Amino acid sequence: MPSTTPSPNGTTFYLTTAIDYANGAPHLGHAYEKILADVIVRFQRLQGRGTHFLTGLDEHGQKVQQTAARRGLSPQQICDESAGLFRALLHDLNISVDDYIRTTEPRHKAVVARCLQQLFDAGEIYKAEYNGFYSVRQEQFVLEKDRNPDGSWPEIYGEVVTLAESNYFFRLSRHQDWLVKFITENPDWIFPTFRRNQVLEFLKEPINDLCISRPVERLAWGIPLPFDPGFVTYVWFDALVNYVSAAEASPGLWESGAHHVIGKDILVPPHSVYWPCMLRALGLALPKRLIVHGWWTLGGTKASKSTGNATETLSLAKLYGADTFRYYLIREMPVGQDSDFSREQLRIRHKTDLANDLGNLLNRLLSLAARHTASIVPKIQQPGTPPPPAREKDDGTLAALWAETAARYLDLAAGFQFHNALDALWQFIRAMNRFTEQRAPWKLGKSANPEDRALLEDTLANLAEGLRLAATALTPVMPTIAAQIQSTLGLTPADTFLNGQLAWDPSKTEGRRLAEKAILFPPVEDPATAAGTQGKP
Ligand code: MSP
């Protein structure tokens, strides 16, 4: 049953991912897309906005039918098996979905049938004889103009056969001028903007009407056309509708404007051409934005179900913990660009950014407080009291640095620059480390001078507050670690959640009882990295 994460101010941010094909196991590409979407949605929640986060499974089509035949199972069995694997992935990666849609569910089939009937009645769908080329792999008709200059077919089409059959067509071409105008006038509709040019380039040529049916003799595994039981619905026409059919149960949700997170391979033409035209023909609102990410590659090749280790890579989320895995993927890939996956880089991020910079800093605070303040967060020096002498050596106050960091962090996240947002946050975390080095509280603790004692207390109070805020800011990317840091600081999520929480406010940490020790990032040995094999025979 779909639920929405409630909104304190009445607006709901509707975010979707692509629905994954049911004919294969989840791999790195699927994992990244879910994590990226989860980060976007959690950033919204962090700022007090209500969200509705949808993902799901694309279950119809020839590939599922073929896989089922090959394995001697029914198509539904294949889909159920996949649904189990993909849902386990969501769980393992701590993806906070509000709803999961499968295209074989009655709630979806009913909406697809309704849309088809409406378009048929409105004359947007017609029947015609088709005589031409058909790509078995892409499950679509292809044209002369799609050939390579040497006459062969591009590899993405796989086997191309000739076909003559009657089918139903959606009058896509009718909407071309409108679409070009819409995309031109709404430069932010596609993120990143350079992808928009690709769409406009595609739309320079006249587009053909879209074949939206397949005869049942050729494809039985699909949603029957409501006006002709001899045909089932083309899988893309069926799949795209999921965004609307899942929103049915939540009145006003679709109209509030969806944000679709998708990979670059499914932007042109499905999401940037078919989908807006379908919606326009149906008289439905358009999505607010398409957020288009690039590809993860493994040794330069796109991670896919045929890249053997793309699935195996997911085991690293178990080895390092889901939060380290999330951190690595978000830290390394600028949204929109491609990145090559590196186990070595994952190992380094875990050890350096996470265990050293963040984990050790927290432990320093905990052990100093255990030794000198009975694990209670002391009071911060009040403004107006004369600064303790050692202050002159400080980089500047953490409070001021935090104010800059928080503003920059949220700004970068709002522009989907999550890799840079994390970089900004880590600059603050490293500044806290330098601050600690400069103040050398371990020396202050040995002094009998009351000024040194005051400075020691001030140092610990600053660190506690800085860590509280860093952890809160980190919630969207590393939800479990953030919660662990909060609890180590004697806070509950309720103490830090919602609006204004990124403001420097030492009263939130003062007097809290700290834990004595926290092992957030235990050392990990990955045998596939250089370090993992060091010292081994
Ligand atoms: N079923 C269609 C989408 C229908 S949406 C109405 C589909 N499925 S897919 O399983 O092939 O891909 C699902 C998503 O994963 C797509 O957005 C795709 O771009 C993404 N990725 C698949 N491989 C990828 C990488 N190697 N890297 C990053 N993401 C890629 O397409």
Side-chain angles (χ1 to χ4, degrees):
M1 192 53 209
S3 65
T4 297
T5 306
S7 159
N9 61 9
T11 58
T12 299
F13 183 91
Y14 182 29
L15 188 92
T16 70
T17 70
I19 50 173
D20 304 305
Y21 282 133
N23 68 318
H27 61 66
L28 179 61
H30 301 123
Y32 171 71
E33 186 170 296
K34 307 298 177 298
I35 291 171
L36 171 63
D38 193 46
V39 167
I40 294 173
V41 127
R42 285 181 189 264
F43 261 106
Q44 294 294 321
R45 288 189 208 128
L46 183 75
Q47 293 167 85
R49 288 180 208 124
T51 56
H52 190 89
F53 180 7
L54 171 75
T55 183
L57 203 61
D58 188 356
E59 308 196 17
H60 292 122
Q62 212 141 26
K63 288 175 201 158
V64 171
Q65 187 172 295
Q66 283 162 353
T67 307
R70 186 164 37 80
R71 293 183 51 196
L73 296 168
S74 73
Q76 191 64 56
Q77 282 174 312
I78 296 288
C79 295
D80 291 349
E81 185 185 287
S82 274
L85 295 173
F86 277 96
R87 296 199 76 143
L89 178 75
L90 296 179
H91 174 264
D92 292 348
L93 296 174
N94 204 354
I95 309 296
S96 57
V97 290
D98 296 302
D99 191 9
Y100 192 83
I101 189 156
R102 299 179 53 183
T103 56
T104 49
E105 284 174 59
R107 62 168 170 156
H108 175 70
K109 291 186 190 170
V111 175
V112 171
R114 197 181 69 209
C115 291
L116 286 163
Q117 188 67 53
Q118 187 189 328
L119 293 179
F120 186 69
D121 293 345
E124 292 271 359
I125 288 176
Y126 63 92
K127 193 174 188 183
E129 172 83 14
Y130 181 86
N131 230 321
F133 303 107
Y134 182 79
S135 152
V136 179
R137 180 186 294 173
Q138 294 298 324
E139 299 176 45
Q140 70 180 49
F141 293 98
V142 289
L143 299 169
E144 276 298 340
K145 72 170 167 64
D146 298 321
R147 285 188 196 263
N148 289 324
D150 69 359
S152 64
W153 293 102
E155 209 188 310
I156 52 155
Y157 294 133
E159 188 192 359
V160 174
V161 295
T162 52
L163 207 70
E165 66 186 24
S166 281
N167 264 310
Y168 286 88
F169 292 82
F170 167 53
R171 293 189 194 279
L172 193 64
S173 56
R174 214 186 232 190
H175 304 281
Q176 179 160 7
D177 292 344
W178 162 81
L179 183 61
V180 170
K181 189 162 181 283
F182 173 77
I183 293 176
T184 311
E185 286 173 358
N186 294 277
D188 294 335
W189 191 60
I190 300 173
F191 177 89
T193 29
F194 74 86
R195 293 252 170 245
R196 191 179 65 117
N197 302 334
Q198 231 169 299
V199 181
L200 290 172
E201 198 57 38
F202 178 84
L203 289 170
K204 275 190 181 148
E205 298 281 324
I207 52 174
N208 298 304
D209 288 345
L210 176 67
C211 180
I212 53 104
S213 65
R214 298 291 182 263
V216 280
E217 307 84 61
R218 194 147 68 74
L219 177 67
W221 186 238
I223 301 176
L225 295 188
F227 42 83
D228 190 339
F231 294 85
V232 299
T233 312
Y234 170 49
V235 68
W236 268 109
F237 192 99
D238 160 354
L240 287 162
V241 173
N242 90 86
Y243 305 131
V244 167
S245 50
E248 274 278 283
S250 317
L253 183 61
W254 178 258
E255 293 71 25
S256 72
H259 300 75
H260 297 316
V261 173
I262 54 168
K264 65 178 185 178
D265 51 324
I266 57 171
L267 174 65
V268 192
H271 282 86
S272 62
V273 181
Y274 303 163
W275 187 223
C277 295
M278 284 163 66
L279 289 166
R280 179 171 188 248
L282 286 162
L284 290 173
L286 294 186
K288 214 173 239 168
R289 204 162 213 190
L290 308 181
I291 301 159
V292 188
H293 61 79
W295 283 345
W296 280 98
T297 57
L298 288 162
T301 310
K302 178 183 182 251
S304 72
K305 70 174 189 308
S306 42
T307 323
N309 41 2
T311 294
E312 195 232 332
T313 306
L314 299 183
S315 67
L316 294 169
K318 291 219 164 72
L319 186 64
Y320 283 92
D323 277 21
T324 290
F325 193 68
R326 291 170 63 110
Y327 175 80
Y328 166 77
L329 294 181
I330 296 298
R331 179 70 188 79
E332 292 292 322
M333 179 180 265
V335 177
Q337 319 263 310
D338 295 350
S339 286
D340 202 51
F341 186 85
S342 157
R343 287 174 90 130
E344 179 60 11
Q345 188 62 9
L346 169 62
R347 184 189 73 77
I348 292 171
R349 291 278 183 206
H350 180 80
K351 186 162 184 284
T352 316
D353 300 11
L354 300 176
N356 291 354
D357 294 346
L358 180 57
N360 288 350
L361 178 68
L362 177 65
N363 271 310
R364 242 179 190 181
L365 166 66
L366 301 183
S367 66
L368 284 161
R371 200 168 315 134
H372 301 295
T373 65
S375 290
I376 301 296
V377 179
K379 204 175 170 60
I380 221 154
Q381 293 278 305
Q382 288 308 305
T385 40
R391 270 247 165 120
E392 289 143 31
K393 285 198 276 155
D394 294 351
D395 276 352
T397 66
L398 287 184
L401 184 61
W402 175 256
E404 273 167 43
T405 304
R408 200 169 133 65
Y409 186 71
L410 290 180
D411 207 43
L412 287 165
F416 308 114
Q417 304 275 306
F418 301 112
H419 64 302
N420 286 332
L422 287 174
D423 186 61
L425 184 58
W426 251 259
Q427 284 176 33
F428 176 75
I429 291 170
R430 293 195 189 106
M432 279 199 282
N433 278 301
R434 282 198 303 277
F435 169 87
T436 314
E437 291 293 330
Q438 284 161 352
R439 290 240 178 142
W442 42 92
K443 284 190 199 147
L444 300 171
K446 289 184 191 136
S447 160
N449 180 340
E451 270 186 359
D452 286 345
R453 174 72 195 181
L455 191 60
L456 168 75
E457 292 190 359
D458 182 74
T459 306
L460 300 189
N462 266 288
L463 288 180
E465 178 59 2
L467 279 162
R468 176 184 76 86
L469 288 162
T472 308
L474 201 50
T475 313
V477 182
M478 306 184 79
T480 306
I481 290 291
Q484 279 171 5
I485 297 177
Q486 286 167 347
S487 95
T488 304
L489 296 175
L491 301 157
T492 67
D495 289 324
T496 51
F497 212 59
L498 295 183
N499 287 323
Q501 65 196 314
L502 290 186
W504 184 270
D505 177 6
S507 73
K508 290 229 163 77
T509 27
E510 187 191 320
R512 302 280 175 164
R513 173 174 292 279
L514 303 174
E516 289 193 359
K517 199 174 173 180
I519 302 177
L520 300 178
F521 305 103
V524 171
E525 215 177 85
D526 175 5
T529 61
T533 51
Q534 259 171 31
K536 295 228 173 106

